[in-house]
Amino acid sequence: MANDIAVGKGEPGCKKIDPILVADNVTRQFGGLTAVNVEHLEIPRGKITALIGPNGAGKTTLFNLLTGFDKPNTGAWSFEGKNLAGVSSYKVARRGMIRTFQLTKSLSAMTVIENMRLGAQKQRGENFFSSLFRFLWKGEEALITQTADDLLKRFKLNEKREDYAGSLSGGQRKLLEMARALMGKPTLIMLDEPMAGVNPALTQSLLEHIKGLKANGTTVLFVEHNMHMVRHISDWVIVMAEGRVVAEGEPSVVMKDQAVIDAYLGAHHDTDLGTMKKGK
Amino acid sequence: MDLMLTLQLAIGELFSPLTAAYILCAIGLSVHFGFTGLLNFGQAAFAAVGAYGMAIGVLTLKLPLLGAMGFALLCVVAFALFLGIPTLRLRADYLAIVTIAAAEVFRYLMSTSGFAEVTGGSNGLSQFGYEFYTWNPVPKAEYNLGLFTWTEEQVWLRLVAFSAVAVSAILVSLMMKSPWGRVLKGIREDEDAVRSLGKNVFFYKLQSLIIGGLFAGLGGIVFVISMSNVQPSTWVTTFTFMIWTVLLLGGAATILGPIAGGMLFFVLLTLTNELLAGLVAIGWLPFLDQPQVAQIRFILIGLALMLLVIFRPQGIFGNKKELRFNG
């Protein structure tokens, strides 16, 4: 089968033709429990990669480690060829690797548009001394607002522009968080369960939007339990279980892998439950 | 009971330089708590550092008054760095513990006899503010403003104190309407979210601590210039809690809140004091005597603060959606 992502066959820890993120020997222990134990992992550039696995497999912990929100016991990783291990979380974001959270972190007492504006990076007005002189950052602010409004429209949040983020529903907060992350113009966006709680009517447009990100050259890495989404949009699937990478490959191949079915999908994963394909 | 005199005293509080000093401290606390979410329970120490910095600058370092004020503000910055660098990486609660302890440590350091040559020990310092009145451009006269008669010195002191309040409020308003202020509000809501967007949260919190501290330092300076002495016993925890009451009364995340809160607070404080004293004097409150009245009003303040936090956490000016007391 043709494969334009990996060098050779898809297997755990396989080399990629053009990796954007390369991790080696990353381990994280909580007391006696080894939450993450990844020997080698490469994320392909410009593709949509899904990270799946049962609860407690270490997906979110791996996200936290890679983005500097948690410290590993051992390990090294590099992003675009430059070391990223031990770099603070805010610097990780500045380098172009922006994440969202499984439990959404919308800033409730700020309006939706202010949430969005905060996402833009390298703002001149965020320097204390220039903040006092409006003329220094007025122009930039208008540009940021323009970008933010465009994104809000695409995520169908434009009607909520002036509402407090705290008044949004769970699904809308997910959307806001994703849109806010995009304000930072990431080269790699890491989405932790982007579909959880999002209304099915919006799912389709969100999927299209993620595909659109790829078309613009953004690399996407996401954790998701929604197999429909995984199958529909991902180019590559990485399966974790008990902290390790147990399988890797193209979605059609991986989902037939007996080890994956046993560990995660279950025997009836392919059976259509009747709801999945509605609205297509 | 002289109602007219009571009213006059109460209204006098509106224009008292001490009210201005508390308002300045509350403006600083609004930057800390209202906008950034930093729980600072040692605002008295920031004011005290400003006050002692200026007095020591004049008396020990022989600086001119303006230079001593600059020195005082530098001391405040150093104090903020000293407190902030070890604690701001930790959870918010740690800052609360450290600030309240540091405020007490600083007060004891100032009152100990070991440093009395510089700090004046428990007697404090005085005679450092003469130069302030030599700058007075107000012509020498008695100024009759209906309710009050002020000397030119009293007019000058009030002008300076309330100009400082106005300038500080305008500065905070500019800061909070800017992208810089937006980062602070983001930190108040969720630090990790702001971190994930590429902002150096620790550095912003440190900036907030310094800037809020500077307003308190200025408040301390106004306080001791108007008292024309600095006493270690001024900067007790009660001082800090009065600032908190002023802030929460007006609204923690507002610009006008600290000003309105400060004025209202001191008017009410004086009114309750005078009214209670008056009622005791004419025998309507037989279970109280005069010395108890001064204590009772602080019980009432405590009660008011509790009721405020429970029933109107956003304060007078606050927007309920924007800020709840959730520290």
Side-chain angles (χ1 to χ4, degrees), chain A residues 89-90 93-94 105 109 114 117-118 120 123 125-126 128 131 141 164, chain B residues 178 180 182-183 189-190 193 195-196 198-200 204 207 211 319 322:
Chain A
S89 48
Y90 77 92
R94 285 186 188 176
K105 294 188 183 292
E114 283 285 86
R117 289 189 186 121
L118 187 64
Q123 297 183 40
E126 288 183 352
F128 173 68
S131 77
E141 185 85 344
Y164 283 94
Chain B
S178 76
W180 183 82
R182 183 161 65 216
V183 178
E189 298 303 309
D190 194 318
R195 246 180 227 121
S196 78
K199 322 288 177 201
N200 187 347
Y204 278 101
Q207 290 178 53
I211 287 155
N319 173 348
E322 189 171 340

PDB file of all heavy atoms in Angstrom, chain A residues 89-90 93-94 105 109 114 117-118 120 123 125-126 128 131 141 164, chain B residues 178 180 182-183 189-190 193 195-196 198-200 204 207 211 319 322:
ATOM      1  N   SER A  89       6.379  26.344  29.054  1.00  0.00           N
ATOM      2  CA  SER A  89       5.193  26.173  28.221  1.00  0.00           C
ATOM      3  C   SER A  89       4.915  27.388  27.344  1.00  0.00           C
ATOM      4  O   SER A  89       4.515  27.254  26.198  1.00  0.00           O
ATOM      5  CB  SER A  89       3.996  25.881  29.115  1.00  0.00           C
ATOM      6  OG  SER A  89       3.944  26.797  30.178  1.00  0.00           O
ATOM      7  N   TYR A  90       5.135  28.600  27.889  1.00  0.00           N
ATOM      8  CA  TYR A  90       4.812  29.769  27.067  1.00  0.00           C
ATOM      9  C   TYR A  90       5.771  29.913  25.890  1.00  0.00           C
ATOM     10  O   TYR A  90       5.395  30.366  24.810  1.00  0.00           O
ATOM     11  CB  TYR A  90       4.766  31.040  27.911  1.00  0.00           C
ATOM     12  CG  TYR A  90       6.102  31.611  28.302  1.00  0.00           C
ATOM     13  CD1 TYR A  90       6.726  32.570  27.504  1.00  0.00           C
ATOM     14  CD2 TYR A  90       6.755  31.202  29.460  1.00  0.00           C
ATOM     15  CE1 TYR A  90       7.952  33.105  27.860  1.00  0.00           C
ATOM     16  CE2 TYR A  90       7.977  31.720  29.820  1.00  0.00           C
ATOM     17  CZ  TYR A  90       8.572  32.672  29.017  1.00  0.00           C
ATOM     18  OH  TYR A  90       9.785  33.200  29.358  1.00  0.00           O
ATOM     19  N   ALA A  93       4.690  27.638  23.080  1.00  0.00           N
ATOM     20  CA  ALA A  93       3.637  28.253  22.270  1.00  0.00           C
ATOM     21  C   ALA A  93       4.216  29.290  21.316  1.00  0.00           C
ATOM     22  O   ALA A  93       3.806  29.402  20.167  1.00  0.00           O
ATOM     23  CB  ALA A  93       2.581  28.886  23.178  1.00  0.00           C
ATOM     24  N   ARG A  94       5.193  30.059  21.805  1.00  0.00           N
ATOM     25  CA  ARG A  94       5.798  31.083  20.944  1.00  0.00           C
ATOM     26  C   ARG A  94       6.535  30.479  19.772  1.00  0.00           C
ATOM     27  O   ARG A  94       6.663  31.096  18.724  1.00  0.00           O
ATOM     28  CB  ARG A  94       6.774  31.935  21.745  1.00  0.00           C
ATOM     29  CG  ARG A  94       6.076  32.907  22.637  1.00  0.00           C
ATOM     30  CD  ARG A  94       7.080  33.820  23.294  1.00  0.00           C
ATOM     31  NE  ARG A  94       6.400  34.629  24.293  1.00  0.00           N
ATOM     32  CZ  ARG A  94       7.030  35.475  25.098  1.00  0.00           C
ATOM     33  NH1 ARG A  94       8.330  35.615  25.018  1.00  0.00           N
ATOM     34  NH2 ARG A  94       6.354  36.174  25.968  1.00  0.00           N
ATOM     35  N   LYS A 105     -10.391  25.612  28.885  1.00  0.00           N
ATOM     36  CA  LYS A 105      -9.944  26.739  29.685  1.00  0.00           C
ATOM     37  C   LYS A 105     -10.334  28.038  28.989  1.00  0.00           C
ATOM     38  O   LYS A 105      -9.482  28.793  28.546  1.00  0.00           O
ATOM     39  CB  LYS A 105      -8.426  26.682  29.882  1.00  0.00           C
ATOM     40  CG  LYS A 105      -7.982  25.497  30.724  1.00  0.00           C
ATOM     41  CD  LYS A 105      -6.515  25.605  31.041  1.00  0.00           C
ATOM     42  CE  LYS A 105      -6.024  24.409  31.823  1.00  0.00           C
ATOM     43  NZ  LYS A 105      -6.581  24.339  33.174  1.00  0.00           N
ATOM     44  N   ALA A 109     -14.671  35.243  32.614  1.00  0.00           N
ATOM     45  CA  ALA A 109     -15.092  36.615  32.893  1.00  0.00           C
ATOM     46  C   ALA A 109     -14.575  37.591  31.843  1.00  0.00           C
ATOM     47  O   ALA A 109     -14.515  38.785  32.084  1.00  0.00           O
ATOM     48  CB  ALA A 109     -14.656  37.029  34.284  1.00  0.00           C
ATOM     49  N   GLU A 114     -12.543  39.195  23.449  1.00  0.00           N
ATOM     50  CA  GLU A 114     -11.320  39.434  24.228  1.00  0.00           C
ATOM     51  C   GLU A 114     -10.513  38.142  24.374  1.00  0.00           C
ATOM     52  O   GLU A 114      -9.281  38.166  24.326  1.00  0.00           O
ATOM     53  CB  GLU A 114     -11.655  40.000  25.609  1.00  0.00           C
ATOM     54  CG  GLU A 114     -12.027  41.469  25.613  1.00  0.00           C
ATOM     55  CD  GLU A 114     -10.821  42.387  25.434  1.00  0.00           C
ATOM     56  OE1 GLU A 114     -10.454  42.637  24.272  1.00  0.00           O
ATOM     57  OE2 GLU A 114     -10.257  42.838  26.436  1.00  0.00           O
ATOM     58  N   ARG A 117      -8.688  37.870  21.098  1.00  0.00           N
ATOM     59  CA  ARG A 117      -7.579  38.829  20.942  1.00  0.00           C
ATOM     60  C   ARG A 117      -6.369  38.404  21.769  1.00  0.00           C
ATOM     61  O   ARG A 117      -5.231  38.601  21.364  1.00  0.00           O
ATOM     62  CB  ARG A 117      -8.024  40.223  21.386  1.00  0.00           C
ATOM     63  CG  ARG A 117      -9.004  40.878  20.444  1.00  0.00           C
ATOM     64  CD  ARG A 117      -9.206  42.329  20.872  1.00  0.00           C
ATOM     65  NE  ARG A 117     -10.234  42.986  20.105  1.00  0.00           N
ATOM     66  CZ  ARG A 117     -11.337  43.520  20.645  1.00  0.00           C
ATOM     67  NH1 ARG A 117     -11.530  43.461  21.946  1.00  0.00           N
ATOM     68  NH2 ARG A 117     -12.223  44.107  19.888  1.00  0.00           N
ATOM     69  N   LEU A 118      -6.643  37.813  22.921  1.00  0.00           N
ATOM     70  CA  LEU A 118      -5.547  37.382  23.786  1.00  0.00           C
ATOM     71  C   LEU A 118      -4.690  36.322  23.101  1.00  0.00           C
ATOM     72  O   LEU A 118      -3.515  36.172  23.399  1.00  0.00           O
ATOM     73  CB  LEU A 118      -6.133  36.827  25.098  1.00  0.00           C
ATOM     74  CG  LEU A 118      -5.148  36.472  26.200  1.00  0.00           C
ATOM     75  CD1 LEU A 118      -4.428  37.709  26.679  1.00  0.00           C
ATOM     76  CD2 LEU A 118      -5.865  35.818  27.360  1.00  0.00           C
ATOM     77  N   ALA A 120      -3.581  36.219  20.091  1.00  0.00           N
ATOM     78  CA  ALA A 120      -2.583  36.701  19.132  1.00  0.00           C
ATOM     79  C   ALA A 120      -1.235  36.859  19.815  1.00  0.00           C
ATOM     80  O   ALA A 120      -1.158  37.280  20.965  1.00  0.00           O
ATOM     81  CB  ALA A 120      -3.032  38.025  18.535  1.00  0.00           C
ATOM     82  N   GLN A 123       2.197  40.780  20.629  1.00  0.00           N
ATOM     83  CA  GLN A 123       1.482  42.042  20.521  1.00  0.00           C
ATOM     84  C   GLN A 123       2.296  43.149  21.168  1.00  0.00           C
ATOM     85  O   GLN A 123       2.762  42.999  22.289  1.00  0.00           O
ATOM     86  CB  GLN A 123       0.128  41.943  21.228  1.00  0.00           C
ATOM     87  CG  GLN A 123      -0.801  40.926  20.612  1.00  0.00           C
ATOM     88  CD  GLN A 123      -2.147  40.919  21.302  1.00  0.00           C
ATOM     89  OE1 GLN A 123      -2.675  41.961  21.658  1.00  0.00           O
ATOM     90  NE2 GLN A 123      -2.706  39.745  21.500  1.00  0.00           N
ATOM     91  N   GLY A 125       1.165  45.956  22.251  1.00  0.00           N
ATOM     92  CA  GLY A 125       0.427  46.496  23.394  1.00  0.00           C
ATOM     93  C   GLY A 125       0.507  45.635  24.638  1.00  0.00           C
ATOM     94  O   GLY A 125       0.029  46.022  25.692  1.00  0.00           O
ATOM     95  N   GLU A 126       1.110  44.473  24.525  1.00  0.00           N
ATOM     96  CA  GLU A 126       1.259  43.626  25.709  1.00  0.00           C
ATOM     97  C   GLU A 126       2.520  43.967  26.485  1.00  0.00           C
ATOM     98  O   GLU A 126       2.784  43.393  27.526  1.00  0.00           O
ATOM     99  CB  GLU A 126       1.245  42.140  25.312  1.00  0.00           C
ATOM    100  CG  GLU A 126      -0.151  41.691  24.910  1.00  0.00           C
ATOM    101  CD  GLU A 126      -0.240  40.224  24.590  1.00  0.00           C
ATOM    102  OE1 GLU A 126       0.796  39.552  24.525  1.00  0.00           O
ATOM    103  OE2 GLU A 126      -1.374  39.743  24.391  1.00  0.00           O
ATOM    104  N   PHE A 128       4.339  46.490  28.884  1.00  0.00           N
ATOM    105  CA  PHE A 128       3.773  47.450  29.834  1.00  0.00           C
ATOM    106  C   PHE A 128       3.936  48.898  29.384  1.00  0.00           C
ATOM    107  O   PHE A 128       2.998  49.682  29.420  1.00  0.00           O
ATOM    108  CB  PHE A 128       4.403  47.275  31.222  1.00  0.00           C
ATOM    109  CG  PHE A 128       3.978  48.345  32.179  1.00  0.00           C
ATOM    110  CD1 PHE A 128       2.666  48.394  32.615  1.00  0.00           C
ATOM    111  CD2 PHE A 128       4.860  49.323  32.593  1.00  0.00           C
ATOM    112  CE1 PHE A 128       2.236  49.398  33.470  1.00  0.00           C
ATOM    113  CE2 PHE A 128       4.439  50.333  33.454  1.00  0.00           C
ATOM    114  CZ  PHE A 128       3.126  50.362  33.886  1.00  0.00           C
ATOM    115  N   SER A 131       1.794  49.843  26.536  1.00  0.00           N
ATOM    116  CA  SER A 131       0.358  49.710  26.795  1.00  0.00           C
ATOM    117  C   SER A 131      -0.271  51.053  27.150  1.00  0.00           C
ATOM    118  O   SER A 131      -1.446  51.290  26.911  1.00  0.00           O
ATOM    119  CB  SER A 131       0.122  48.716  27.937  1.00  0.00           C
ATOM    120  OG  SER A 131       0.408  49.315  29.188  1.00  0.00           O
ATOM    121  N   GLU A 141      -4.096  46.275  17.003  1.00  0.00           N
ATOM    122  CA  GLU A 141      -5.311  45.771  17.634  1.00  0.00           C
ATOM    123  C   GLU A 141      -6.434  45.599  16.606  1.00  0.00           C
ATOM    124  O   GLU A 141      -7.185  44.636  16.639  1.00  0.00           O
ATOM    125  CB  GLU A 141      -5.737  46.753  18.737  1.00  0.00           C
ATOM    126  CG  GLU A 141      -6.920  46.301  19.564  1.00  0.00           C
ATOM    127  CD  GLU A 141      -6.537  45.383  20.716  1.00  0.00           C
ATOM    128  OE1 GLU A 141      -5.416  44.845  20.714  1.00  0.00           O
ATOM    129  OE2 GLU A 141      -7.385  45.197  21.599  1.00  0.00           O
ATOM    130  N   TYR A 164     -19.960  37.012  27.557  1.00  0.00           N
ATOM    131  CA  TYR A 164     -18.881  36.490  28.387  1.00  0.00           C
ATOM    132  C   TYR A 164     -18.672  35.016  28.059  1.00  0.00           C
ATOM    133  O   TYR A 164     -19.645  34.279  27.863  1.00  0.00           O
ATOM    134  CB  TYR A 164     -19.206  36.670  29.868  1.00  0.00           C
ATOM    135  CG  TYR A 164     -18.988  38.086  30.317  1.00  0.00           C
ATOM    136  CD1 TYR A 164     -20.023  39.007  30.343  1.00  0.00           C
ATOM    137  CD2 TYR A 164     -17.718  38.513  30.674  1.00  0.00           C
ATOM    138  CE1 TYR A 164     -19.808  40.319  30.723  1.00  0.00           C
ATOM    139  CE2 TYR A 164     -17.492  39.820  31.055  1.00  0.00           C
ATOM    140  CZ  TYR A 164     -18.543  40.722  31.077  1.00  0.00           C
ATOM    141  OH  TYR A 164     -18.309  42.019  31.452  1.00  0.00           O
TER     142      TYR A 164
ATOM    143  N   SER B 178      -5.729  48.182  27.824  1.00  0.00           N
ATOM    144  CA  SER B 178      -4.739  47.835  26.802  1.00  0.00           C
ATOM    145  C   SER B 178      -4.583  46.315  26.722  1.00  0.00           C
ATOM    146  O   SER B 178      -5.064  45.585  27.577  1.00  0.00           O
ATOM    147  CB  SER B 178      -3.393  48.442  27.190  1.00  0.00           C
ATOM    148  OG  SER B 178      -2.817  47.680  28.220  1.00  0.00           O
ATOM    149  N   TRP B 180      -2.049  44.745  27.416  1.00  0.00           N
ATOM    150  CA  TRP B 180      -1.313  44.349  28.621  1.00  0.00           C
ATOM    151  C   TRP B 180      -2.299  43.993  29.728  1.00  0.00           C
ATOM    152  O   TRP B 180      -2.172  42.956  30.395  1.00  0.00           O
ATOM    153  CB  TRP B 180      -0.401  45.502  29.058  1.00  0.00           C
ATOM    154  CG  TRP B 180       0.456  45.195  30.239  1.00  0.00           C
ATOM    155  CD1 TRP B 180       1.642  44.527  30.234  1.00  0.00           C
ATOM    156  CD2 TRP B 180       0.206  45.547  31.614  1.00  0.00           C
ATOM    157  NE1 TRP B 180       2.139  44.443  31.514  1.00  0.00           N
ATOM    158  CE2 TRP B 180       1.289  45.061  32.367  1.00  0.00           C
ATOM    159  CE3 TRP B 180      -0.826  46.230  32.258  1.00  0.00           C
ATOM    160  CZ2 TRP B 180       1.369  45.232  33.746  1.00  0.00           C
ATOM    161  CZ3 TRP B 180      -0.747  46.398  33.634  1.00  0.00           C
ATOM    162  CH2 TRP B 180       0.336  45.906  34.368  1.00  0.00           C
ATOM    163  N   ARG B 182      -5.288  43.086  29.329  1.00  0.00           N
ATOM    164  CA  ARG B 182      -6.023  41.886  28.912  1.00  0.00           C
ATOM    165  C   ARG B 182      -5.282  40.620  29.352  1.00  0.00           C
ATOM    166  O   ARG B 182      -5.899  39.651  29.796  1.00  0.00           O
ATOM    167  CB  ARG B 182      -6.169  41.921  27.396  1.00  0.00           C
ATOM    168  CG  ARG B 182      -6.950  40.790  26.814  1.00  0.00           C
ATOM    169  CD  ARG B 182      -7.419  41.155  25.433  1.00  0.00           C
ATOM    170  NE  ARG B 182      -6.327  41.333  24.498  1.00  0.00           N
ATOM    171  CZ  ARG B 182      -6.301  42.237  23.530  1.00  0.00           C
ATOM    172  NH1 ARG B 182      -7.297  43.087  23.392  1.00  0.00           N
ATOM    173  NH2 ARG B 182      -5.289  42.320  22.720  1.00  0.00           N
ATOM    174  N   VAL B 183      -3.959  40.652  29.256  1.00  0.00           N
ATOM    175  CA  VAL B 183      -3.180  39.499  29.708  1.00  0.00           C
ATOM    176  C   VAL B 183      -3.388  39.299  31.217  1.00  0.00           C
ATOM    177  O   VAL B 183      -3.598  38.177  31.682  1.00  0.00           O
ATOM    178  CB  VAL B 183      -1.680  39.661  29.381  1.00  0.00           C
ATOM    179  CG1 VAL B 183      -0.885  38.480  29.906  1.00  0.00           C
ATOM    180  CG2 VAL B 183      -1.472  39.798  27.883  1.00  0.00           C
ATOM    181  N   GLU B 189      -8.256  34.744  35.282  1.00  0.00           N
ATOM    182  CA  GLU B 189      -9.223  33.697  34.964  1.00  0.00           C
ATOM    183  C   GLU B 189      -8.578  32.310  34.950  1.00  0.00           C
ATOM    184  O   GLU B 189      -9.130  31.369  35.489  1.00  0.00           O
ATOM    185  CB  GLU B 189      -9.874  33.971  33.605  1.00  0.00           C
ATOM    186  CG  GLU B 189     -10.659  35.259  33.549  1.00  0.00           C
ATOM    187  CD  GLU B 189     -11.734  35.307  34.600  1.00  0.00           C
ATOM    188  OE1 GLU B 189     -12.513  34.348  34.684  1.00  0.00           O
ATOM    189  OE2 GLU B 189     -11.780  36.298  35.349  1.00  0.00           O
ATOM    190  N   ASP B 190      -7.476  32.172  34.250  1.00  0.00           N
ATOM    191  CA  ASP B 190      -6.831  30.859  34.165  1.00  0.00           C
ATOM    192  C   ASP B 190      -5.399  31.010  33.668  1.00  0.00           C
ATOM    193  O   ASP B 190      -5.161  31.282  32.493  1.00  0.00           O
ATOM    194  CB  ASP B 190      -7.620  29.952  33.217  1.00  0.00           C
ATOM    195  CG  ASP B 190      -7.185  28.503  33.357  1.00  0.00           C
ATOM    196  OD1 ASP B 190      -5.979  28.250  33.458  1.00  0.00           O
ATOM    197  OD2 ASP B 190      -8.060  27.626  33.361  1.00  0.00           O
ATOM    198  N   ALA B 193      -4.208  28.657  30.719  1.00  0.00           N
ATOM    199  CA  ALA B 193      -4.719  29.021  29.395  1.00  0.00           C
ATOM    200  C   ALA B 193      -3.851  30.127  28.797  1.00  0.00           C
ATOM    201  O   ALA B 193      -3.482  30.080  27.623  1.00  0.00           O
ATOM    202  CB  ALA B 193      -6.160  29.499  29.510  1.00  0.00           C
ATOM    203  N   ARG B 195      -0.775  30.810  29.565  1.00  0.00           N
ATOM    204  CA  ARG B 195       0.528  30.228  29.249  1.00  0.00           C
ATOM    205  C   ARG B 195       0.493  29.531  27.895  1.00  0.00           C
ATOM    206  O   ARG B 195       1.413  29.654  27.093  1.00  0.00           O
ATOM    207  CB  ARG B 195       0.884  29.193  30.312  1.00  0.00           C
ATOM    208  CG  ARG B 195       2.062  29.603  31.119  1.00  0.00           C
ATOM    209  CD  ARG B 195       2.407  28.580  32.161  1.00  0.00           C
ATOM    210  NE  ARG B 195       2.616  29.301  33.387  1.00  0.00           N
ATOM    211  CZ  ARG B 195       1.942  29.111  34.493  1.00  0.00           C
ATOM    212  NH1 ARG B 195       1.009  28.183  34.560  1.00  0.00           N
ATOM    213  NH2 ARG B 195       2.200  29.843  35.537  1.00  0.00           N
ATOM    214  N   SER B 196      -0.603  28.794  27.667  1.00  0.00           N
ATOM    215  CA  SER B 196      -0.694  28.018  26.424  1.00  0.00           C
ATOM    216  C   SER B 196      -0.783  28.941  25.219  1.00  0.00           C
ATOM    217  O   SER B 196      -0.631  28.496  24.089  1.00  0.00           O
ATOM    218  CB  SER B 196      -1.894  27.079  26.472  1.00  0.00           C
ATOM    219  OG  SER B 196      -3.086  27.799  26.227  1.00  0.00           O
ATOM    220  N   GLY B 198       1.225  31.506  24.882  1.00  0.00           N
ATOM    221  CA  GLY B 198       2.546  32.082  24.663  1.00  0.00           C
ATOM    222  C   GLY B 198       2.866  33.313  25.492  1.00  0.00           C
ATOM    223  O   GLY B 198       3.728  34.100  25.114  1.00  0.00           O
ATOM    224  N   LYS B 199       2.168  33.505  26.613  1.00  0.00           N
ATOM    225  CA  LYS B 199       2.478  34.670  27.453  1.00  0.00           C
ATOM    226  C   LYS B 199       3.285  34.214  28.660  1.00  0.00           C
ATOM    227  O   LYS B 199       2.952  33.195  29.279  1.00  0.00           O
ATOM    228  CB  LYS B 199       1.197  35.358  27.955  1.00  0.00           C
ATOM    229  CG  LYS B 199       0.055  35.424  26.973  1.00  0.00           C
ATOM    230  CD  LYS B 199       0.285  36.405  25.859  1.00  0.00           C
ATOM    231  CE  LYS B 199      -0.882  36.343  24.891  1.00  0.00           C
ATOM    232  NZ  LYS B 199      -0.545  36.860  23.577  1.00  0.00           N
ATOM    233  N   ASN B 200       4.281  35.009  29.019  1.00  0.00           N
ATOM    234  CA  ASN B 200       5.114  34.714  30.179  1.00  0.00           C
ATOM    235  C   ASN B 200       4.372  35.122  31.453  1.00  0.00           C
ATOM    236  O   ASN B 200       4.524  36.238  31.949  1.00  0.00           O
ATOM    237  CB  ASN B 200       6.443  35.462  30.051  1.00  0.00           C
ATOM    238  CG  ASN B 200       7.413  35.070  31.140  1.00  0.00           C
ATOM    239  OD1 ASN B 200       7.041  34.433  32.122  1.00  0.00           O
ATOM    240  ND2 ASN B 200       8.657  35.448  30.975  1.00  0.00           N
ATOM    241  N   TYR B 204       4.382  38.630  33.939  1.00  0.00           N
ATOM    242  CA  TYR B 204       3.237  39.547  34.054  1.00  0.00           C
ATOM    243  C   TYR B 204       2.784  39.681  35.501  1.00  0.00           C
ATOM    244  O   TYR B 204       2.436  40.767  35.951  1.00  0.00           O
ATOM    245  CB  TYR B 204       2.071  39.069  33.180  1.00  0.00           C
ATOM    246  CG  TYR B 204       2.219  39.477  31.732  1.00  0.00           C
ATOM    247  CD1 TYR B 204       2.666  38.595  30.774  1.00  0.00           C
ATOM    248  CD2 TYR B 204       1.917  40.779  31.331  1.00  0.00           C
ATOM    249  CE1 TYR B 204       2.816  38.973  29.450  1.00  0.00           C
ATOM    250  CE2 TYR B 204       2.059  41.170  30.007  1.00  0.00           C
ATOM    251  CZ  TYR B 204       2.514  40.257  29.067  1.00  0.00           C
ATOM    252  OH  TYR B 204       2.659  40.648  27.772  1.00  0.00           O
ATOM    253  N   GLN B 207       5.146  41.968  37.215  1.00  0.00           N
ATOM    254  CA  GLN B 207       4.879  43.363  36.847  1.00  0.00           C
ATOM    255  C   GLN B 207       3.675  43.895  37.612  1.00  0.00           C
ATOM    256  O   GLN B 207       3.677  45.019  38.115  1.00  0.00           O
ATOM    257  CB  GLN B 207       4.601  43.475  35.350  1.00  0.00           C
ATOM    258  CG  GLN B 207       5.811  43.235  34.479  1.00  0.00           C
ATOM    259  CD  GLN B 207       5.454  43.319  32.998  1.00  0.00           C
ATOM    260  OE1 GLN B 207       4.881  44.280  32.523  1.00  0.00           O
ATOM    261  NE2 GLN B 207       5.777  42.274  32.273  1.00  0.00           N
ATOM    262  N   ILE B 211       3.646  47.068  40.115  1.00  0.00           N
ATOM    263  CA  ILE B 211       2.863  48.269  39.818  1.00  0.00           C
ATOM    264  C   ILE B 211       1.826  48.540  40.896  1.00  0.00           C
ATOM    265  O   ILE B 211       1.685  49.665  41.386  1.00  0.00           O
ATOM    266  CB  ILE B 211       2.247  48.147  38.411  1.00  0.00           C
ATOM    267  CG1 ILE B 211       3.371  48.332  37.396  1.00  0.00           C
ATOM    268  CG2 ILE B 211       1.155  49.183  38.189  1.00  0.00           C
ATOM    269  CD1 ILE B 211       3.122  47.703  36.082  1.00  0.00           C
ATOM    270  N   ASN B 319     -19.228  44.750  37.865  1.00  0.00           N
ATOM    271  CA  ASN B 319     -20.133  44.035  37.002  1.00  0.00           C
ATOM    272  C   ASN B 319     -20.161  42.600  37.520  1.00  0.00           C
ATOM    273  O   ASN B 319     -19.137  41.935  37.571  1.00  0.00           O
ATOM    274  CB  ASN B 319     -19.565  44.101  35.586  1.00  0.00           C
ATOM    275  CG  ASN B 319     -20.331  43.254  34.623  1.00  0.00           C
ATOM    276  OD1 ASN B 319     -21.169  42.431  35.007  1.00  0.00           O
ATOM    277  ND2 ASN B 319     -20.060  43.456  33.352  1.00  0.00           N
ATOM    278  N   GLU B 322     -18.488  40.028  35.586  1.00  0.00           N
ATOM    279  CA  GLU B 322     -17.044  40.066  35.409  1.00  0.00           C
ATOM    280  C   GLU B 322     -16.269  39.611  36.621  1.00  0.00           C
ATOM    281  O   GLU B 322     -15.258  38.955  36.498  1.00  0.00           O
ATOM    282  CB  GLU B 322     -16.571  41.462  34.984  1.00  0.00           C
ATOM    283  CG  GLU B 322     -15.098  41.387  34.608  1.00  0.00           C
ATOM    284  CD  GLU B 322     -14.536  42.617  33.976  1.00  0.00           C
ATOM    285  OE1 GLU B 322     -15.308  43.440  33.466  1.00  0.00           O
ATOM    286  OE2 GLU B 322     -13.307  42.759  33.992  1.00  0.00           O
TER     287      GLU B 322
END
